[in-house]
Amino acid sequence: MKDAPTLAEAVAEVGREMAAHRGEGRVADYIPALARVDPNRFGLAVITVDGETAEFGDAWVPFSIQSISKVFTLALALERVGEGLWTRVGREPSGSRFNSIVQLEAEGGVPRNPFINAGAIVTTDAVLDSRTPEVAIAEIRDFLRRLSGVETIDIDAEVARSEAETGFRNASLANFLRAFGNLKSPVADVLETYFSQCAIRITCRQLARAGLFLAREGLDPLNGARVLSPEHARRINAIMMTCGHYDASGEFAFQVGLPGKSGVGGGILTIVPDRAAVAVWSPGLNEVGNSQVGTLALERLAAKMGWSVF
Ligand code: DON
């Protein structure tokens, strides 16, 4: 029987195997500034709780974090308002598209979970906590800077503007939430904060490092800092597993077997509890809106490394 590969070997093998798939999927074009991204990009970065790293391809190229930011705002919202957050947003998979309006209306303005857009707009409102968008946006950006140790992480103003100019569905969701009494701040402030957090530019290397605290129950294993309580970290992992890929979350759990969160920029952050954090980026999306080649790469990496929570 062949020996299990080392992490470096597994990452290199997966990177090579993905060469045949580069460019698959469709780059998100509903935000004009995202549509220009080169579909052939592919980056993969792993960092373990012992500090070992392995990277492939465009692991150092910044991309748009998009919905992966929802993991970090959920962490900030839980720390700010605690368990009370769950009266405003649920934790059930939605089975609907990430920007569905029908479900929000039918369910009385309480979004199914914090990772669909309506739920993320609520968690963003909780982080905003009646402050100005500038303050909340800086808090979210600084959280990512602190977690990754990279002070240059910033918001791509063009992507934020592009999304604000075309985000009619998100504006509808925010207005519905406000009508149901589930937004405290003005709709314009919540949307500005939400669009800005989605427009953060980050690399696979930085994203994996930023997510590493989730692999150690809220404790940063490399500098010993307590980022989040163990209870909150466990809950975020549970929601990543059940809701992190929208209506393909069951498929991701089945194929990859790890908590993960995707974004329409083509990134996916995946947590291997007690072991590592993995970030992958490939801009082409499948029909559900998750990175097509990124998902395949994670499937292969998890299989080679024997990683699964099951
Ligand atoms: O709300 C939006 O449309 C985007 N800024 C984020 C959506 C997103 O990344 C959905 N993910 N797959």
Side-chain angles (χ1 to χ4, degrees):
M1 202 178 122
K2 211 175 132 207
D3 283 344
T6 64
L7 177 63
E9 287 164 354
V11 165
E13 276 173 24
V14 170
R16 281 195 301 271
E17 288 169 20
M18 291 308 106
H21 296 276
R22 288 214 183 190
E24 285 178 8
R26 251 192 95 216
V27 175
D29 55 7
Y30 76 105
I31 304 170
L34 285 187
R36 295 198 301 268
V37 177
D38 176 359
N40 294 310
R41 293 289 199 176
F42 175 83
L44 175 61
V46 183
I47 181 159
T48 72
V49 294
D50 305 316
E52 184 185 353
T53 59
E55 283 149 19
F56 189 93
D58 299 318
W60 291 75
V61 178
F63 61 91
S64 192
I65 194 170
Q66 293 296 320
S67 286
I68 307 169
S69 63
K70 295 170 181 174
V71 173
F72 299 94
T73 40
L74 175 59
L76 290 172
L78 278 172
E79 289 302 284
R80 184 166 277 275
V81 303
E83 295 295 302
L85 184 67
W86 304 120
T87 61
R88 299 180 58 191
V89 59
R91 57 269 176 149
E92 283 295 343
S94 70
S96 304
R97 281 197 71 80
F98 66 87
N99 53 10
S100 170
I101 289 175
V102 176
Q103 194 171 52
L104 183 65
E105 163 78 331
E107 297 184 356
V110 177
R112 277 281 177 103
N113 67 67
F115 289 163
I116 52 171
N117 284 13
I121 291 170
V122 169
T123 55
T124 298
D125 182 62
V127 173
L128 200 50
D129 203 9
S130 306
R131 299 177 296 168
T132 64
E134 290 71 29
V135 172
I137 293 165
E139 182 179 340
I140 298 164
R141 181 204 61 201
D142 291 350
F143 187 43
L144 278 158
R145 286 183 178 178
R146 178 157 58 85
L147 290 171
S148 63
V150 178
E151 284 301 310
T152 51
I153 286 178
D154 222 330
I155 286 129
D156 183 325
E158 193 202 345
V159 172
R161 201 176 328 109
S162 183
E163 183 147 359
E165 280 163 5
T166 55
F168 304 113
R169 287 189 79 92
N170 285 320
S172 308
L173 290 167
N175 278 294
F176 260 108
L177 288 163
R178 180 86 186 196
F180 280 112
N182 201 3
L183 280 196
K184 299 202 167 95
S185 289
V187 164
D189 289 3
V190 182
L191 287 175
E192 184 184 342
T193 310
Y194 174 76
F195 292 144
S196 298
Q197 81 182 40
C198 288
I200 287 172
R201 277 160 53 85
I202 198 160
T203 69
C204 288
R205 171 76 182 78
Q206 295 161 356
L207 183 60
R209 178 66 187 90
L212 191 59
F213 73 99
L214 289 170
R216 266 284 195 254
E217 301 210 308
L219 190 80
D220 187 318
L222 301 185
N223 62 20
R226 161 81 40 214
V227 179
L228 209 61
S229 71
E231 295 75 22
H232 287 164
R234 253 177 251 145
R235 295 198 145 141
I236 292 177
N237 274 308
I239 299 172
M240 287 174 81
M241 179 61 102
T242 53
C243 311
H245 283 75
Y246 311 107
D247 40 339
S249 298
E251 186 66 15
F252 190 83
F254 184 86
Q255 299 288 5
V256 181
L258 296 166
K261 180 73 202 87
S262 68
V264 291
I268 305 175
L269 171 65
T270 303
I271 306 302
V272 193
D274 289 320
R275 303 254 176 119
V278 183
V280 65
W281 172 50
S282 171
L285 308 179
N286 61 22
E287 58 294 340
V288 186
N290 302 315
S291 172
Q292 182 157 323
V293 180
T295 307
L296 182 64
L298 290 169
E299 228 177 281
R300 299 268 176 96
L301 183 66
K304 285 178 200 291
M305 294 302 294
W307 284 341
S308 169
V309 297
F310 300 109

PDB file of all heavy atoms in Angstrom, residues 17-31:
ATOM      1  N   GLU A  17      -3.214  18.245 -10.432  1.00  0.00           N
ATOM      2  CA  GLU A  17      -4.438  17.621 -10.962  1.00  0.00           C
ATOM      3  C   GLU A  17      -5.451  18.675 -11.437  1.00  0.00           C
ATOM      4  O   GLU A  17      -6.237  18.425 -12.343  1.00  0.00           O
ATOM      5  CB  GLU A  17      -5.098  16.739  -9.886  1.00  0.00           C
ATOM      6  CG  GLU A  17      -4.319  15.461  -9.605  1.00  0.00           C
ATOM      7  CD  GLU A  17      -4.822  14.736  -8.353  1.00  0.00           C
ATOM      8  OE1 GLU A  17      -5.957  14.983  -7.915  1.00  0.00           O
ATOM      9  OE2 GLU A  17      -4.057  13.924  -7.802  1.00  0.00           O
ATOM     10  N   MET A  18      -5.428  19.837 -10.801  1.00  0.00           N
ATOM     11  CA  MET A  18      -6.402  20.875 -11.172  1.00  0.00           C
ATOM     12  C   MET A  18      -6.057  21.562 -12.490  1.00  0.00           C
ATOM     13  O   MET A  18      -6.893  22.260 -13.063  1.00  0.00           O
ATOM     14  CB  MET A  18      -6.530  21.926 -10.058  1.00  0.00           C
ATOM     15  CG  MET A  18      -7.194  21.435  -8.786  1.00  0.00           C
ATOM     16  SD  MET A  18      -8.788  20.618  -9.045  1.00  0.00           S
ATOM     17  CE  MET A  18      -8.333  18.903  -8.774  1.00  0.00           C
ATOM     18  N   ALA A  19      -4.827  21.362 -12.981  1.00  0.00           N
ATOM     19  CA  ALA A  19      -4.422  22.017 -14.233  1.00  0.00           C
ATOM     20  C   ALA A  19      -5.397  21.684 -15.357  1.00  0.00           C
ATOM     21  O   ALA A  19      -5.761  22.545 -16.170  1.00  0.00           O
ATOM     22  CB  ALA A  19      -3.000  21.610 -14.600  1.00  0.00           C
ATOM     23  N   ALA A  20      -5.858  20.448 -15.388  1.00  0.00           N
ATOM     24  CA  ALA A  20      -6.774  20.014 -16.448  1.00  0.00           C
ATOM     25  C   ALA A  20      -8.151  20.656 -16.316  1.00  0.00           C
ATOM     26  O   ALA A  20      -8.960  20.596 -17.244  1.00  0.00           O
ATOM     27  CB  ALA A  20      -6.915  18.487 -16.399  1.00  0.00           C
ATOM     28  N   HIS A  21      -8.426  21.241 -15.158  1.00  0.00           N
ATOM     29  CA  HIS A  21      -9.777  21.789 -14.913  1.00  0.00           C
ATOM     30  C   HIS A  21      -9.818  23.307 -14.932  1.00  0.00           C
ATOM     31  O   HIS A  21     -10.893  23.892 -14.822  1.00  0.00           O
ATOM     32  CB  HIS A  21     -10.290  21.300 -13.557  1.00  0.00           C
ATOM     33  CG  HIS A  21     -10.470  19.816 -13.509  1.00  0.00           C
ATOM     34  ND1 HIS A  21     -11.598  19.186 -13.974  1.00  0.00           N
ATOM     35  CD2 HIS A  21      -9.634  18.830 -13.081  1.00  0.00           C
ATOM     36  CE1 HIS A  21     -11.469  17.876 -13.825  1.00  0.00           C
ATOM     37  NE2 HIS A  21     -10.281  17.634 -13.283  1.00  0.00           N
ATOM     38  N   ARG A  22      -8.651  23.933 -15.018  1.00  0.00           N
ATOM     39  CA  ARG A  22      -8.606  25.406 -14.940  1.00  0.00           C
ATOM     40  C   ARG A  22      -9.598  26.045 -15.897  1.00  0.00           C
ATOM     41  O   ARG A  22      -9.749  25.596 -17.029  1.00  0.00           O
ATOM     42  CB  ARG A  22      -7.208  25.920 -15.267  1.00  0.00           C
ATOM     43  CG  ARG A  22      -6.260  25.610 -14.130  1.00  0.00           C
ATOM     44  CD  ARG A  22      -5.220  26.673 -13.957  1.00  0.00           C
ATOM     45  NE  ARG A  22      -4.302  26.266 -12.901  1.00  0.00           N
ATOM     46  CZ  ARG A  22      -3.392  27.058 -12.363  1.00  0.00           C
ATOM     47  NH1 ARG A  22      -3.275  28.282 -12.795  1.00  0.00           N
ATOM     48  NH2 ARG A  22      -2.620  26.626 -11.409  1.00  0.00           N
ATOM     49  N   GLY A  23     -10.262  27.071 -15.427  1.00  0.00           N
ATOM     50  CA  GLY A  23     -11.189  27.794 -16.290  1.00  0.00           C
ATOM     51  C   GLY A  23     -12.604  27.235 -16.269  1.00  0.00           C
ATOM     52  O   GLY A  23     -13.509  27.833 -16.840  1.00  0.00           O
ATOM     53  N   GLU A  24     -12.812  26.078 -15.609  1.00  0.00           N
ATOM     54  CA  GLU A  24     -14.169  25.531 -15.566  1.00  0.00           C
ATOM     55  C   GLU A  24     -15.073  26.397 -14.691  1.00  0.00           C
ATOM     56  O   GLU A  24     -14.620  27.062 -13.766  1.00  0.00           O
ATOM     57  CB  GLU A  24     -14.139  24.097 -15.011  1.00  0.00           C
ATOM     58  CG  GLU A  24     -13.616  23.092 -16.020  1.00  0.00           C
ATOM     59  CD  GLU A  24     -13.530  21.667 -15.492  1.00  0.00           C
ATOM     60  OE1 GLU A  24     -14.021  21.397 -14.374  1.00  0.00           O
ATOM     61  OE2 GLU A  24     -12.942  20.835 -16.186  1.00  0.00           O
ATOM     62  N   GLY A  25     -16.358  26.321 -14.943  1.00  0.00           N
ATOM     63  CA  GLY A  25     -17.329  27.121 -14.192  1.00  0.00           C
ATOM     64  C   GLY A  25     -17.506  28.483 -14.837  1.00  0.00           C
ATOM     65  O   GLY A  25     -16.879  28.780 -15.867  1.00  0.00           O
ATOM     66  N   ARG A  26     -18.342  29.302 -14.240  1.00  0.00           N
ATOM     67  CA  ARG A  26     -18.653  30.632 -14.802  1.00  0.00           C
ATOM     68  C   ARG A  26     -18.361  31.701 -13.785  1.00  0.00           C
ATOM     69  O   ARG A  26     -18.867  31.641 -12.662  1.00  0.00           O
ATOM     70  CB  ARG A  26     -20.146  30.691 -15.134  1.00  0.00           C
ATOM     71  CG  ARG A  26     -20.410  30.685 -16.609  1.00  0.00           C
ATOM     72  CD  ARG A  26     -21.849  31.028 -16.940  1.00  0.00           C
ATOM     73  NE  ARG A  26     -22.039  32.440 -17.236  1.00  0.00           N
ATOM     74  CZ  ARG A  26     -23.125  33.112 -16.895  1.00  0.00           C
ATOM     75  NH1 ARG A  26     -24.091  32.535 -16.232  1.00  0.00           N
ATOM     76  NH2 ARG A  26     -23.238  34.379 -17.227  1.00  0.00           N
ATOM     77  N   VAL A  27     -17.530  32.651 -14.172  1.00  0.00           N
ATOM     78  CA  VAL A  27     -17.189  33.752 -13.260  1.00  0.00           C
ATOM     79  C   VAL A  27     -18.452  34.585 -12.984  1.00  0.00           C
ATOM     80  O   VAL A  27     -19.229  34.852 -13.894  1.00  0.00           O
ATOM     81  CB  VAL A  27     -16.093  34.642 -13.898  1.00  0.00           C
ATOM     82  CG1 VAL A  27     -15.815  35.857 -13.039  1.00  0.00           C
ATOM     83  CG2 VAL A  27     -14.817  33.841 -14.103  1.00  0.00           C
ATOM     84  N   ALA A  28     -18.645  34.962 -11.709  1.00  0.00           N
ATOM     85  CA  ALA A  28     -19.823  35.763 -11.342  1.00  0.00           C
ATOM     86  C   ALA A  28     -19.819  37.056 -12.139  1.00  0.00           C
ATOM     87  O   ALA A  28     -18.805  37.753 -12.197  1.00  0.00           O
ATOM     88  CB  ALA A  28     -19.796  36.084  -9.849  1.00  0.00           C
ATOM     89  N   ASP A  29     -20.951  37.355 -12.772  1.00  0.00           N
ATOM     90  CA  ASP A  29     -20.973  38.599 -13.557  1.00  0.00           C
ATOM     91  C   ASP A  29     -22.066  39.551 -13.080  1.00  0.00           C
ATOM     92  O   ASP A  29     -22.274  40.594 -13.668  1.00  0.00           O
ATOM     93  CB  ASP A  29     -21.113  38.299 -15.057  1.00  0.00           C
ATOM     94  CG  ASP A  29     -22.319  37.457 -15.348  1.00  0.00           C
ATOM     95  OD1 ASP A  29     -23.115  37.218 -14.414  1.00  0.00           O
ATOM     96  OD2 ASP A  29     -22.484  37.031 -16.512  1.00  0.00           O
ATOM     97  N   TYR A  30     -22.732  39.204 -11.984  1.00  0.00           N
ATOM     98  CA  TYR A  30     -23.801  40.107 -11.529  1.00  0.00           C
ATOM     99  C   TYR A  30     -23.236  41.314 -10.776  1.00  0.00           C
ATOM    100  O   TYR A  30     -23.938  42.282 -10.523  1.00  0.00           O
ATOM    101  CB  TYR A  30     -24.837  39.342 -10.688  1.00  0.00           C
ATOM    102  CG  TYR A  30     -24.403  39.005  -9.277  1.00  0.00           C
ATOM    103  CD1 TYR A  30     -24.929  39.725  -8.199  1.00  0.00           C
ATOM    104  CD2 TYR A  30     -23.486  38.002  -9.009  1.00  0.00           C
ATOM    105  CE1 TYR A  30     -24.544  39.446  -6.901  1.00  0.00           C
ATOM    106  CE2 TYR A  30     -23.105  37.716  -7.726  1.00  0.00           C
ATOM    107  CZ  TYR A  30     -23.627  38.427  -6.671  1.00  0.00           C
ATOM    108  OH  TYR A  30     -23.243  38.152  -5.391  1.00  0.00           O
ATOM    109  N   ILE A  31     -21.958  41.233 -10.381  1.00  0.00           N
ATOM    110  CA  ILE A  31     -21.271  42.418  -9.866  1.00  0.00           C
ATOM    111  C   ILE A  31     -20.239  42.772 -10.942  1.00  0.00           C
ATOM    112  O   ILE A  31     -19.262  42.042 -11.118  1.00  0.00           O
ATOM    113  CB  ILE A  31     -20.569  42.137  -8.522  1.00  0.00           C
ATOM    114  CG1 ILE A  31     -21.572  41.589  -7.499  1.00  0.00           C
ATOM    115  CG2 ILE A  31     -19.872  43.391  -7.992  1.00  0.00           C
ATOM    116  CD1 ILE A  31     -20.943  41.052  -6.221  1.00  0.00           C
TER     117      ILE A  31
END
